Amino acid sequence: MSRALQRMAVEILELAHGTSDLVLIGIQRRGVELAERIAKLIEKEEGADVPRGALDITLYRDDLETVGPKPVIGETHLPGDLTGKHAVIVDDVLYTGRTVRAALDELADFGRPKRISLCVLVDRGGRELPIQADIVGKSVKTGPGERVDVQVEELDGRDQVDVIR
Amino acid sequence: MTPPSPTLGKDLTGLEHMTPEQIRLILDTAEPFKEVSERPIKKVPALRGKTIVNLFFEASTRTRISFEFAEKRLSADTVNVAATGSSVSKGETLVDTARNLEAMRIDMVVIRHPSSGAAEFLGNRIASNVINAGDGKHEHPTQALLDLLTIRDKHGKIEGLKVCLVGDVLHSRVARSNLWGLTKLGAEVAVCGPWTLMPRGIEELGVKVFGRIEEAIEWADVLNVLRLQLERMEKGFIPSLREYYRVFGVTPERLERSPRAITIMHPGPMNRGVEIDSRVADGPHSVILDQVTNGVAVRMAVLYLLAGGRAELADAAKRGASE
Amino acid sequence: MSHALLLQGGRVIDPSRDMDAAADVLIQDGKIAAVGRGLSAPDGAIVRNVKGKVVVPGLVDLHVHLREPGNEDEETVASGARAAAAGGFTAICAMPNTDPVTDNQAAVGFIVRQSGRAGLARVHPIGAVSIGQKGERLAEFGEMVSAGAVAVSDDGRPVVSSHLMRTALEYARTFHIPVADHCEDPTLAAGGVMHEGLVATRLGLKGIPAAAEEIMVARDVLLAELTGGHVHLCHMSARGSVAIIRDAKERGIRVTAEVTPHHLTLTDYACEAYDTHAKMNPPLREAADIAALRGALKDGVIDCIASDHAPHAYDEKEAAFDDAPFGVVGLETAFAVAHTELVGGGVFTLPELIRRMSTEPARIFHLAGGTLAPGSVADVTVLDLTAKWSVDPTTFHSKSRNTPFAGRALTGRADLTIVAGAIVHDLESSQTAAR
């Protein structure tokens, strides 16, 4: 996983042309940890601070109606005004695209970034919305009924990606 | 396997029959909603398209406004109905109101009514979610929930804290709801006031009773000062408001005698100079304004948790959440 | 009725003569002709086999609210008499809080005529103590008695003025009638909707303290002592009242008292979930009160059971607890509840219960009945003590359905009710006939 993250950090730097207006926004929960790691990698490389934030998209989900017991809402905090910044959304798995759609709606309530890009660790296909990632750690083809589980050291005790067929 | 998360059922009518887990769920859910109120755009789409009626049979500005903010910040459509009793008897109006709401397919009803049991009465007759904003002298659950949240914010916990409810406990739904919430979360609860305003059997609910405010101040970590209504004097429960202030008023002089810094709370609106001295209400240990802020967040949490949701799709949602 | 009627093979319980034995009962010309074993039926007599059943003097209910005149949709004299007969009652006393109030000779006569027209259980009118039950001026006791009133009462309300109560007791002596009082101190009880206690505190409802009743019981007893009059205390609910009555009787004061089946059975916990079918005045109180009331009824400190049958339209009770009217119906469940709870519970013997539901009430109000002595009026009830049934308000003969016992499993019911020798209720034939 660390090699993939290293490569993703480099690609982000290229995409954003440096760190001057870069902001990394991790989607709760594992996206936040991944964003933190990538930010640290970039900081080590560039020697400049990279602001990061966390976004919980629960309240923007399009399936709140049908979900049983209400999901727990995580923390949302953003590093200041996003207007004029290049916001890079970071998440662990990209699947149907609905989480990213919710994230875009939510970010819109916080301001108007100059540009929003998407960076994911695993793209497993199966899109239900016209959404694509700008930076992908690894592509995996999966079918419905199969699962991709990402574990991160900070939350799960180890770094691991499992594809369960 | 993680244990199933607690759910709230269809209505929020009171804290008396809720579990501590359910109460904590609401308090925990209120935290992220506090953040929503700090955003430039204070709105999330969680309850978009839902119709909520604020059915207030008793005049109330602050509670209704608090609910209205909560509803609008969740993007719900709100309608305010101020149904004051006219020539029609109160009971008749409630049954017919229930039927009309049902016929209009309202999603949620927030009701305040002068009769104890009115929220449950309504909840048993309509499919909409019913939230009790105060029924007679019975309960005012969202007030107690925001009180609990405020105490938890200030002290980091509720268990083991000594909380005293001061004033007209007999007529207070805020006192009853607080009593249930605090005891369920492990606080030690006391009440203090004149014996004429003390309900029968209160000791059997595990509550200490103080006859003098000095005793309460010596004991408590938190004082929740209840509003004394003018009509208590008119109905002869106390001889005068002046005497009430002299004997039971929470004043800086009395508070100074306590070894601790006592947190001061009040559900509002305050009668300054009757149950509470202005210097105390505006003083450093007063969290009265925090109560108001927390009120909106708690009400958003309650609305969010009660609205919609079908249990059988919970698993599907869990799988989808890892995308 | 010219047909003689022979009730054959039953167990006869007649508390007026301490009788509890297997015997037949022969009824002729509206009177008890003979009670004994192996009676033969005269020509043309109807013979009813009542083997396995219990034959008792007709049950008497001293406290019933019929809503005629004024609220005939809730109950009429006829529907009330029908409900009474179905419950095994041969005589009931109708309280005067009608609309207009039954406070004069014409109004009393109206009730008597309606009772005659119905031809079911006897309905004896109770006249008001005061004009309009306003508690100001005495009504015309003499005229009302001559028109058929058997007692006076302002029930629904207390007689607040002690002076008026005193005068009423003294004036009633002339006509040998009791003054029945609803014991409630209005300032203590004002606004209350249930017993003042822990349950009311939890429900956030205003309570009526037991003291509200006890204070008026004490007052009435003292006034009975002062005047030598007969005071009858309605629907007792509190253990403190029992203590006062016990002391008064020991001192020879002319006080009698009644208690309802619901006050012998239910506590204030019945009000939980804000069930308005548990709302009545006086309210249901605590287990200790039930115990005291049962003990008092057993040893005669309380003389009899009376239902306080109070019909209300369904939509009136379908309201928030504060707003619903007080009162529950009881004619069709009174015996069964008392039998199931008191006799079934081992607290009372059957003859003791019959005494309290027939012989004593008739005696207190000087009514015919309450006895099967030959020559007395043929008001007789045949009870099936083994019948198990569940209370279904939709099958009530009463026009109203407001009972706290809906769905309750009970044992015992009246199979046959006979008034003046005529069958006014026959479970056998009403089961096959349409309602």
Side-chain angles (χ1 to χ4, degrees):
Chain A
M1 190 187 282
S2 52
R3 267 200 298 273
L5 289 175
Q6 192 79 32
R7 181 174 45 81
M8 285 156 71
V10 170
E11 286 184 31
I12 288 173
L13 275 174
E14 280 175 14
L15 191 64
H17 308 297
T19 61
S20 54
D21 50 15
L22 176 64
V23 178
L24 292 181
I25 314 247
I27 295 185
Q28 293 285 10
R29 292 190 313 157
R30 291 180 179 77
V32 175
E33 304 304 331
L34 295 175
E36 182 65 29
R37 287 213 220 159
I38 292 174
K40 286 210 176 79
L41 288 170
I42 293 177
E43 280 172 351
K44 209 164 102 185
E45 193 61 36
E46 300 290 302
D49 283 334
V50 176
R52 44 258 202 212
L55 203 67
D56 184 294
I57 54 98
T58 310
L59 295 171
Y60 287 77
R61 288 171 65 148
D62 58 10
D63 63 347
L64 266 186
E65 195 65 28
T66 54
V67 141
K70 283 294 188 297
V72 175
I73 308 170
E75 199 191 328
T76 293
H77 68 261
L78 294 177
D81 192 5
L82 295 180
T83 306
K85 301 275 189 208
H86 185 158
V88 177
I89 299 174
V90 179
D91 204 6
D92 54 347
V93 179
L94 174 59
Y95 179 26
T96 60
R98 293 188 187 274
T99 300
V100 175
R101 191 237 20 109
L104 290 172
D105 274 353
E106 187 164 1
L107 282 180
D109 283 348
F110 280 93
R112 190 176 183 279
K114 180 175 74 172
R115 182 174 172 184
I116 301 178
S117 305
L118 175 63
C119 164
V120 296
L121 184 65
V122 177
D123 178 348
R124 63 170 282 195
R127 222 64 91 236
E128 287 174 6
L129 297 174
I131 300 232
Q132 101 261 346
D134 299 290
I135 294 161
V136 179
K138 183 157 181 70
S139 276
V140 175
K141 267 214 164 17
T142 63
E146 295 174 335
R147 271 194 3 246
V148 175
D149 282 341
V150 172
Q151 293 177 306
V152 296
E153 176 92 40
E154 297 87 335
L155 294 172
D156 311 296
R158 62 174 168 203
D159 290 341
Q160 186 157 309
V161 177
D162 295 308
V163 181
I164 296 143
R165 305 229 179 244
Chain B
M1 273 292 304
T2 46
S5 43
T7 50
L8 292 188
K10 177 173 88 79
D11 307 317
L12 181 75
T13 53
L15 299 185
E16 185 183 354
H17 301 292
M18 286 175 70
T19 65
E21 291 74 34
Q22 286 173 317
I23 296 175
R24 278 192 208 102
L25 173 65
I26 297 175
L27 300 184
D28 292 340
T29 308
E31 289 292 346
F33 282 113
K34 280 200 234 171
E35 177 267 317
V36 171
S37 294
E38 304 296 332
R39 298 184 186 182
I41 296 185
K42 300 178 190 355
K43 225 176 181 22
V44 290
L47 257 54
R48 196 164 60 100
K50 295 271 189 226
T51 340
I52 305 182
V53 170
N54 293 328
L55 192 59
F56 277 62
F57 286 85
E58 269 181 354
S60 152
T61 318
R62 57 179 49 217
T63 303
R64 196 187 45 104
I65 288 181
S66 182
F67 267 105
E68 228 184 300
F69 279 145
E71 293 152 12
K72 290 194 152 94
R73 287 181 187 172
L74 290 168
S75 303
D77 295 322
T78 71
V79 174
N80 288 321
V81 177
T84 48
S86 54
S87 57
V88 173
S89 77
K90 288 180 282 188
E92 194 181 306
T93 310
L94 192 53
V95 174
D96 285 333
T97 303
R99 299 208 181 111
N100 289 337
L101 290 174
E102 185 85 87
M104 288 190 280
R105 309 281 187 259
I106 305 289
D107 293 299
M108 308 179 84
V109 178
V110 175
I111 176 171
R112 168 170 284 200
H113 194 281
S115 290
S116 300
E120 195 175 321
F121 183 92
L122 197 64
N124 288 342
R125 284 163 180 75
I126 58 178
S128 326
N129 303 109
V130 173
I131 294 161
N132 184 4
D135 63 331
K137 301 193 295 288
H138 177 229
E139 289 224 41
H140 191 356
T142 56
Q143 178 68 44
L145 288 165
L146 71 89
D147 287 345
L148 290 169
L149 185 64
T150 309
I151 293 175
R152 193 170 82 167
D153 283 349
K154 181 89 177 173
H155 289 267
K157 60 164 187 179
I158 291 175
E159 199 181 334
L161 272 190
K162 298 191 169 116
V163 182
C164 184
L165 308 164
V166 181
D168 182 2
V169 182
L170 177 62
H171 298 97
S172 171
R173 52 194 173 210
V174 171
R176 278 174 184 73
S177 289
N178 261 290
L179 194 155
W180 301 123
L182 288 164
T183 46
K184 281 171 199 279
L185 294 190
E188 276 184 64
V189 182
V191 290
C192 173
W195 292 106
T196 51
L197 294 173
M198 206 53 79
R200 290 288 296 272
I202 190 92
E203 311 85 351
E204 292 173 62
L205 298 176
V207 167
K208 273 186 158 55
V209 181
F210 294 120
R212 297 301 301 252
I213 187 70
E214 290 83 1
E215 294 166 3
I217 286 175
E218 206 180 313
W219 173 88
D221 298 313
V222 179
L223 289 181
N224 197 337
V225 185
L226 304 169
R227 175 184 165 75
L228 185 77
Q229 287 177 312
L230 183 64
E231 61 172 22
R232 304 301 166 228
M233 181 187 86
E234 286 161 6
K235 293 244 171 89
F237 286 98
I238 51 165
S240 68
L241 299 182
R242 189 185 63 179
E243 167 127 311
Y244 184 83
Y245 174 70
R246 292 253 175 87
V247 179
F248 291 98
V250 180
T251 63
E253 292 77 24
R254 288 192 167 123
L255 287 174
E256 258 158 39
R257 292 196 211 118
S258 164
R260 289 175 295 280
I262 300 181
T263 303
I264 303 294
M265 300 174 65
H266 192 299
M270 290 185 278
N271 286 318
R272 289 166 179 269
V274 178
E275 67 261 7
I276 190 169
D277 188 296
S278 277
R279 291 165 289 167
V280 172
D282 302 328
H285 304 297
S286 159
V287 293
I288 295 174
L289 291 174
D290 295 322
Q291 287 175 273
V292 179
T293 311
N294 288 338
V296 179
V298 160
R299 288 168 176 132
M300 288 176 83
V302 167
L303 291 165
Y304 168 72
L305 288 167
L306 285 180
R310 295 202 297 274
E312 64 267 22
L313 294 167
D315 284 337
K318 279 208 192 82
R319 277 199 297 278
S322 62
E323 59 192 336
Chain C
M1 277 299 294
S2 49
H3 288 291
L5 174 59
L6 178 65
L7 303 171
Q8 206 172 51
R11 169 186 171 196
V12 173
I13 295 179
D14 182 359
S16 71
R17 298 183 296 155
D18 285 324
M19 175 178 182
D20 180 359
D24 302 334
V25 176
L26 177 61
I27 293 167
Q28 248 174 333
D29 299 323
K31 293 207 170 15
I32 308 282
V35 177
R37 298 190 87 129
L39 296 182
S40 52
D43 289 335
I46 302 167
V47 178
R48 282 295 285 257
N49 181 343
V50 292
K51 194 155 188 289
K53 311 257 163 89
V54 178
V55 181
V56 301
L59 306 182
V60 175
D61 190 339
L62 299 181
H63 191 141
V64 171
H65 293 275
L66 304 178
R67 305 297 190 197
E68 186 178 11
N71 287 88
E72 288 84 352
D73 50 309
E74 290 177 338
E75 197 81 278
T76 59
V77 172
S79 66
R82 183 122 200 277
F89 292 96
T90 52
I92 59 177
C93 299
M95 282 293 180
N97 59 334
T98 46
D99 179 13
V101 170
T102 304
D103 61 4
N104 61 76
Q105 181 190 50
V108 168
F110 170 71
I111 304 290
V112 172
R113 274 195 309 284
Q114 291 296 81
S115 169
R117 276 202 203 105
L120 299 162
R122 300 171 199 269
V123 179
H124 298 292
I126 296 178
V129 167
S130 60
I131 303 287
Q133 292 191 316
K134 290 212 174 92
E136 290 162 9
R137 281 176 47 215
L138 283 185
E140 291 161 319
F141 291 5
E143 301 251 295
M144 293 194 295
V145 167
S146 62
V150 300
V152 289
S153 178
D154 272 353
D155 183 73
R157 298 177 202 179
V159 176
V160 177
S161 158
S162 299
H163 171 74
L164 186 73
M165 186 65 183
R166 178 225 178 120
T167 332
L169 282 166
E170 283 171 334
Y171 192 55
R173 283 186 69 177
T174 308
F175 311 100
H176 305 291
I177 53 167
V179 177
D181 195 22
H182 166 111
C183 299
E184 179 188 333
D185 178 318
T187 62
L188 276 184
V193 295
M194 66 172 288
H195 173 62
E196 184 181 285
L198 181 60
V199 179
T201 293
R202 281 180 30 231
L203 293 176
L205 294 172
K206 186 160 204 291
I208 300 172
E213 175 180 291
E214 293 155 4
I215 284 177
M216 291 306 244
V217 167
R219 180 204 72 168
D220 285 350
V221 149
L222 290 168
L223 289 178
E225 186 177 24
L226 176 66
T227 59
H230 171 188
V231 70
H232 178 75
L233 304 174
C234 298
H235 44 53
M236 291 286 92
S237 72
R239 56 194 188 268
S241 302
V242 166
I244 296 169
I245 300 168
R246 186 183 300 277
D247 172 74
K249 285 193 171 183
E250 274 165 23
R251 294 193 288 130
I253 295 172
R254 293 178 64 205
V255 54
T256 55
E258 64 185 43
V259 64
T260 68
H262 44 272
H263 286 104
L264 291 168
T265 315
L266 302 171
T267 64
D268 52 355
Y269 279 91
C271 300
E272 288 199 337
Y274 298 97
D275 185 359
T276 56
H277 288 107
K279 179 175 179 181
M280 72 285 288
N281 192 7
L284 301 168
R285 299 199 193 269
E286 299 167 13
D289 297 299
I290 291 182
L293 291 166
R294 289 183 178 193
L297 186 66
K298 192 170 166 78
D299 59 22
V301 167
I302 294 181
D303 302 85
C304 63
I305 290 176
S307 68
D308 195 7
H309 176 92
H312 285 293
Y314 80 93
D315 56 352
E316 287 191 52
K317 282 289 204 178
E318 178 82 351
F321 202 91
D322 279 334
D323 304 318
F326 290 103
V328 293
V329 292
L331 284 170
E332 294 171 83
T333 52
F335 172 73
V337 169
H339 178 250
T340 309
E341 296 295 318
L342 301 176
V343 177
V347 184
F348 276 58
T349 65
L350 184 62
E352 282 172 335
L353 180 64
I354 302 303
R355 179 186 298 278
R356 300 283 164 226
M357 291 190 78
S358 176
T359 309
E360 283 307 296
R363 184 185 66 80
I364 297 172
F365 274 33
H366 316 296
L367 305 172
T371 175
L372 294 176
S376 53
V377 73
D379 285 359
V380 184
T381 303
V382 178
L383 301 166
D384 181 348
L385 300 183
T386 61
K388 287 190 183 344
W389 57 291
S390 175
V391 179
D392 178 5
T394 62
T395 63
F396 281 172
H397 297 272
S398 163
K399 284 186 169 192
S400 293
R401 308 264 172 272
N402 51 313
T403 172
F405 297 115
R408 198 172 178 110
L410 298 176
T411 311
R413 74 192 335 174
D415 266 12
L416 204 60
T417 308
I418 299 157
V419 172
I423 297 174
V424 297
H425 164 73
D426 186 345
L427 198 60
E428 232 173 62
S429 58
S430 65
Q431 263 166 354
T432 49
R435 265 204 72 204

